[in-house]
């Protein structure tokens, strides 16, 4: 793409560094900003810079937070003996939205993935192990995505915790509510039969 | 969506003001920036702010430019008697990419659209009329999109230029190269037959 202005070219280049944003989309976004009041671009730039420079992570669960301890960790009504291990802060938001969970979280910041050069030391796994060894945690819910990387990470954590006596569980895999059986993949359907639950229990929604 | 941090919420909000970017995508983009070196966010913010505050438009064709006259308008090799009227600077880039056009451009900055509150005074139409009245322009190619707004704008410009003696033309509408006839819409196919061209002429690609 040939640009008529270096300033434009530079803005489009930086915008296209974002994931899923190609050069054409970047150009569309940048031209949109040019048509809006200067204020909007200023607000966007300031919000991004402020977030990037002032961002803090909760000391306990590594969730993004404006305070040393996040709102969830510092809430005395939450069950501190139950910790849900997730990959990303988006997972925390998704689980919080269900309104079903009253324990705490632990944000790993990714999964073990040798291909992407992510080892246990790049994640917050050791902080999790220490937290468990301190003794307050009684159950760990491993809620990583069920990919090879997720399974590897689950297994690594499980192995590291051997002997601590902490209970580990994983979220139920099965057919999504509203889905039709005939379209489900074999692995999920197979697991949902192996891990079937008593019918009376399937309504509990407290 | 409930955010664990005001800074994050603000950044996501500003990002989601961009067209086609919803809250979820905005969150994904912002979290991506958090995982990258601070430098990247800084570069993006600076590039956007710089563009927005320092942007200039070519005095002659209204294309984005770092100089008073853009590279195309100030190029003596281009044919100044031929002006292609387009909506947007993206159209200039698209036509330039074909390598087929040696004239100048005129960027309108939009189309006449009463619904969106865009009248002729919001576009660069009067600057175009003045340019034509100065006498250098001999042919005007109207290359707006063929929507109702595009047609209205074309007709408005055409009416304003009555009596100036300038030749006006419009880009050919027809079946795209490589397309199959059976999938073409009736209007396009009908027009492509009415406006058929001599077979020998159809290869010219100089």
């Amino acid at each position: 793409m040939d640009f008529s202005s270096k300033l434009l070219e530079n803005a489009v280049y930086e915008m296209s560094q974002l994931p899923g944003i190609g050069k054409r989309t970047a150009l569309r976004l940048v031209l949109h900003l040019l048509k809006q009041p200067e204020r909007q671009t200023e607000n966007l730039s300031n919000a991004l810079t402020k977030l990037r420079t002032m961002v803090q992570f909760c000391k306990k669960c590594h969730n993004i937070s404006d305070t040393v301890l996040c709102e969830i960790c510092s809430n005395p009504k939450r069950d501190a003996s139950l910790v849900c291990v997730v990959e990303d802060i988006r997972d925390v938001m998704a689980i919080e939205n269900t309104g079903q969970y009253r324990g705490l979280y632990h944000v790993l910041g990714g999964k073990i993935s040798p291909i992407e050069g992510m080892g246990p030391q790049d994640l917050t796994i050791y902080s999790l192990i220490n937290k468990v060894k301190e003794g307050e945690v009684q159950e760990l819910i491993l809620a990583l995505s069920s990919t090879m990387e997720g399974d590897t990470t689950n297994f690594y954590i499980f192995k590291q915790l051997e002997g601590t006596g902490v209970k580990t569980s994983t979220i139920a895999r099965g057919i999504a509510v509203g889905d039709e059986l005939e379209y489900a993949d074999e692995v999920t359907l197979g697991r949902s039969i192996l891990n079937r639950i008593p019918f009376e229990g399937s309504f509990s929604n407290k």
Side-chain angles (χ1 to χ4, degrees), chain A:
Chain A
M1 247 192 252
D2 277 344
F3 293 95
S4 55
S5 150
K6 276 276 160 215
L7 288 171
L8 179 66
E9 186 171 358
N10 197 19
V12 168
Y13 171 78
E14 290 297 340
M15 198 61 121
S16 68
Q17 297 302 99
L18 293 172
I21 308 245
K23 285 247 163 161
R24 272 166 193 269
T25 309
L27 179 61
R28 189 166 56 83
L29 298 179
V30 167
L31 290 180
H32 170 84
L33 282 176
L34 276 180
K35 285 192 181 171
Q36 303 301 311
E38 246 179 79
R39 187 89 210 148
Q40 188 175 333
T41 308
E42 208 179 291
N43 287 347
L44 174 63
S45 298
N46 285 348
L48 291 180
T49 312
K50 256 194 185 165
L51 174 69
R52 191 63 190 87
T53 51
M54 293 163 63
V55 69
Q56 284 191 63
F57 294 92
C58 169
K59 281 231 161 119
K60 204 164 165 185
C61 74
H62 306 277
N63 193 359
I64 293 178
S65 165
D66 293 336
T67 44
V68 178
L69 274 188
C70 74
E71 274 180 31
I72 297 172
C73 287
S74 56
N75 184 346
K77 287 189 186 153
R78 312 274 312 208
D79 180 0
S81 70
L82 188 60
V83 169
C84 182
V85 181
V86 294
E87 208 182 307
D88 198 276
I89 79 145
R90 277 179 289 176
D91 302 327
V92 174
M93 291 166 69
I95 297 177
E96 280 299 285
N97 275 341
T98 67
Q100 301 288 315
Y101 182 66
R102 301 301 302 159
L104 305 184
Y105 294 93
H106 188 93
V107 181
L108 286 183
K111 287 170 293 191
I112 296 177
S113 166
I115 294 173
E116 290 172 33
M118 288 285 264
Q121 70 288 349
D122 301 312
L123 308 172
T124 62
I125 291 184
Y126 299 125
S127 139
L128 174 68
I129 310 290
N130 288 337
K131 191 151 66 181
V132 171
K133 285 187 177 158
E134 280 165 17
E136 206 186 3
V137 183
Q138 279 165 25
E139 183 177 348
L140 222 54
I141 306 174
L142 299 170
L144 305 182
S145 48
S146 64
T147 56
M148 203 163 69
E149 287 86 6
D151 289 344
T152 308
T153 315
N154 279 340
F155 191 68
Y156 183 86
I157 295 173
F158 181 75
K159 275 283 165 196
Q160 291 286 317
L161 292 174
E162 266 183 352
T164 58
V166 69
K167 195 174 144 193
T168 48
S169 56
T170 177
I171 52 171
R173 305 287 177 185
I175 308 296
V177 178
D179 264 15
E180 292 184 45
L181 290 205
E182 59 175 322
Y183 299 118
D185 65 291
E186 298 87 358
V187 182
T188 307
L189 188 55
R191 281 224 229 170
S192 79
I193 291 185
L194 284 178
N195 303 323
R196 62 193 176 278
I197 50 167
F199 184 67
E200 316 92 69
S202 67
F203 294 105
S204 83
N205 197 29
K206 58 166 180 220

